């Protein structure tokens, strides 16, 4: 008999890749989708007929209990949240409702309706904020510096508290920045690859960015969701940092993306004061020794492969749009 999995955030980048992974492993997949989101199923359109879309909302305790009681999933992956950091400053209360309190509601629904389910909570490197050590491990102190990171820290600690108090199989994956062809255009990685493609095709003439020396730990979303799945296959629930363990400067990302298209990035890229953020005092990079040693997990995509995949995808999308 096949396993059943429930994914919140099915229509997002991570949710769509996770659903594909689980389907390939023979799971019956349910995706929790807010009714207002049912018109934006673009990321799952190519396999939508193979998943069960169920209505529910992290703001509504009863809807969560109904879905879990009705589907009785073996595994539950909470990937839903308000995840855009700048928006968390303009909508801090909404961010807290979905990203923090929504997890409390979900954990309580699991405890009451399906306590044997294995639960994965998507934590974030934003919980570290301005850490006092680099790289950051599962034991690094939390010091969030924005409403999103603060909400994620609350969700992380609620998950570990429910694990300890109620003996639930509940764990947190502390993910660093991860990208893919399904990444939203508002995020800097996608902004760079898409604008490079637009310049190559004569659809744009410049790219305005902030601090080119800012460094990030970037992974492919496919690698990240494989780590999520591995975490729920272990004998005991453990929290893990999910990252590449390497950092690259925005300048290197720009150079790779433009160079891949045969363009000299310095002719097109300018620094815009409104986007500029100073360098972090301590570099944000994940310590991946635990997940590699205990789960035998290893990213399949290198940084350069990730850049090239996304540039190719943006070129294809823009060319298709021009022809239609």
């Amino acid at each position: 008999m096949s396993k059943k999995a429930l994914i919140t955030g099915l229509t997002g980048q991570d949710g769509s890749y996770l659903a594909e992974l689980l389907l390939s492993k023979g799971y019956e997949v349910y995706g929790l989708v807010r009714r207002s989101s049912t018109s934006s199923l673009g990321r799952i359109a190519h396999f939508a007929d193979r998943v069960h879309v169920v209505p529910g909302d992290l703001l509504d305790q009863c809807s969560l209990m109904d879905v879990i009681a009705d589907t009785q999933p073996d595994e539950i992956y909470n990937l839903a949240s308000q995840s855009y950091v700048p928006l968390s400053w303009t909508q801090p209360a909404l961010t807290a409702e979905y990203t923090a309190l929504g997890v409390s509601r979900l954990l309580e629904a699991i405890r009451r309706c399906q306590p044997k389910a294995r639960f994965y909570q998507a934590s974030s490197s934003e919980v570290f904020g301005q850490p006092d050590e680099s790289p950051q491990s599962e034991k690094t102190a939390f010091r969030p510096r924005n409403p999103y990171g603060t909400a994620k820290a609350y969700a992380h600690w609620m998950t570990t508290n429910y694990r300890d108090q109620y003996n639930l199989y509940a764990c947190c994956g502390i993910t660093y920045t991860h990208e893919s062809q399904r990444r939203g255009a508002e995020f800097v990685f996608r902004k760079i690859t898409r604008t490079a493609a637009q310049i190559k095709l004569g659809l744009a003439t410049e790219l305005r960015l902030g601090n080119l020396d800012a460094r990030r730990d970037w992974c492919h979303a496919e690698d990240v969701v494989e780590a999520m799945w591995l975490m729920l296959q272990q004998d005991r629930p453990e929290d893990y940092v999910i990252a590449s363990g390497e950092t690259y400067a925005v300048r290197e990302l720009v150079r790779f993306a433009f160079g891949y298209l045969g363009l000299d990035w310095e002719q097109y890229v300018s620094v815009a004061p409104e986007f500029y953020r100073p360098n972090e005092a301590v570099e944000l990079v994940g310590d991946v020794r635990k997940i590699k040693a205990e789960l035998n997990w290893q990213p399949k995509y290198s940084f350069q492969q990730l850049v090239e995949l996304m540039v190719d995808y943006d070129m294809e999308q823009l060319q298709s749009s021009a022809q239609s």
Side-chain angles (χ1 to χ4, degrees):
M1 192 173 178
S2 61
K3 283 185 179 180
K4 290 189 286 187
L6 173 65
I7 302 171
T8 74
L10 172 72
T11 59
Q13 170 186 254
D14 294 4
S16 64
Y17 278 115
L18 177 61
E20 281 186 294
L21 175 68
L22 296 177
L23 287 170
S24 74
K25 295 181 180 296
Y27 281 66
E28 187 174 358
V29 177
Y30 293 83
L32 185 80
V33 176
R34 284 182 293 125
R35 287 196 183 277
S36 59
S37 299
T38 52
S39 61
S40 57
L41 304 178
R43 292 187 179 96
I44 67 166
H46 58 293
F47 63 83
D49 59 335
R50 299 172 59 203
V51 299
H52 307 283
V53 174
V54 292
D57 197 314
L58 291 178
L59 300 189
D60 182 5
Q61 180 80 59
C62 291
S63 74
L64 298 175
M65 293 177 70
D66 287 345
V67 167
I68 292 172
D70 290 345
T71 59
Q72 290 291 292
D74 301 290
E75 297 173 5
I76 299 170
Y77 297 84
N78 182 40
L79 310 183
S81 73
Q82 189 303 98
S83 60
Y84 189 49
V85 171
L87 185 61
S88 77
W89 283 110
T90 58
Q91 297 184 342
L94 184 69
T95 299
E97 284 288 352
Y98 275 110
T99 308
L101 294 178
V103 180
S104 286
R105 298 185 189 102
L106 186 53
L107 285 164
E108 188 61 13
I110 294 168
R111 181 181 78 83
R112 290 172 179 265
C113 302
Q114 175 61 327
K116 292 182 180 178
R118 297 189 169 200
F119 175 67
Y120 172 87
Q121 165 59 21
S123 194
S124 166
S125 60
E126 289 290 334
V127 299
F128 296 131
Q130 201 165 46
D132 58 2
E133 62 181 5
S134 185
Q136 297 82 45
S137 74
E138 295 79 7
K139 297 179 180 178
T140 299
F142 288 4
R143 292 178 178 172
R145 300 184 70 235
N146 55 61
Y148 171 71
T150 302
K152 280 292 188 184
Y154 173 96
H156 184 110
W157 288 122
M158 285 302 289
T159 300
T160 59
N161 273 278
Y162 265 68
R163 177 172 72 210
D164 296 339
Q165 181 70 19
Y166 299 116
N167 200 31
L168 296 182
Y169 191 112
C171 52
C172 299
I174 305 172
T175 57
Y176 282 65
T177 310
H178 46 287
E179 312 290 339
S180 76
Q181 302 90 310
R182 301 175 192 172
R183 184 65 142 157
E186 69 271 23
F187 294 94
V188 68
F189 201 114
R190 186 72 192 281
K191 178 181 177 181
I192 290 168
T193 60
R194 187 169 179 79
T195 306
Q198 288 173 327
I199 291 171
K200 180 67 175 180
L201 295 172
L203 303 173
T205 57
E206 73 166 339
L207 170 61
R208 291 163 58 80
L209 294 170
N211 184 357
L212 297 180
D213 295 318
R215 302 185 70 85
R216 289 290 178 270
D217 183 326
W218 278 296
C219 265
H220 195 297
E222 281 188 15
D223 289 327
V224 170
V225 301
E226 184 187 19
M228 296 176 186
W229 175 76
L230 283 170
M231 285 174 60
L232 295 197
Q233 311 314 307
Q234 307 309 305
D235 292 335
R236 356 186 353 260
E238 292 271 355
D239 304 325
Y240 292 93
V241 165
I242 305 174
S244 72
E246 301 175 342
T247 63
Y248 288 87
V250 173
R251 187 187 309 276
E252 294 172 281
L253 168 54
V254 170
R255 181 166 55 83
F256 274 134
F258 279 74
Y260 183 57
L261 293 173
L263 300 171
D264 178 2
W265 69 271
E266 293 182 286
Q267 294 182 20
Y268 304 100
V269 177
S270 60
V271 173
E274 65 267 28
F275 299 137
Y276 196 91
R277 282 193 246 168
N279 288 337
E280 288 88 0
V282 176
E283 193 169 88
L284 268 177
V285 54
D287 182 342
V288 290
R289 287 177 294 180
K290 180 180 177 182
I291 193 169
K292 287 185 175 181
E294 296 184 8
L295 304 189
N296 197 30
W297 175 82
Q298 185 78 31
K300 296 182 179 69
Y301 292 92
S302 69
F303 177 73
Q304 190 160 351
Q305 285 174 319
L306 175 58
V307 176
E308 292 174 0
L309 274 172
M310 290 179 64
V311 170
D312 284 341
Y313 178 79
D314 283 323
M315 286 289 290
E316 288 168 13
Q317 290 293 105
L318 291 167
Q319 287 170 329
S320 296
S321 297
Q323 292 166 3
S324 59

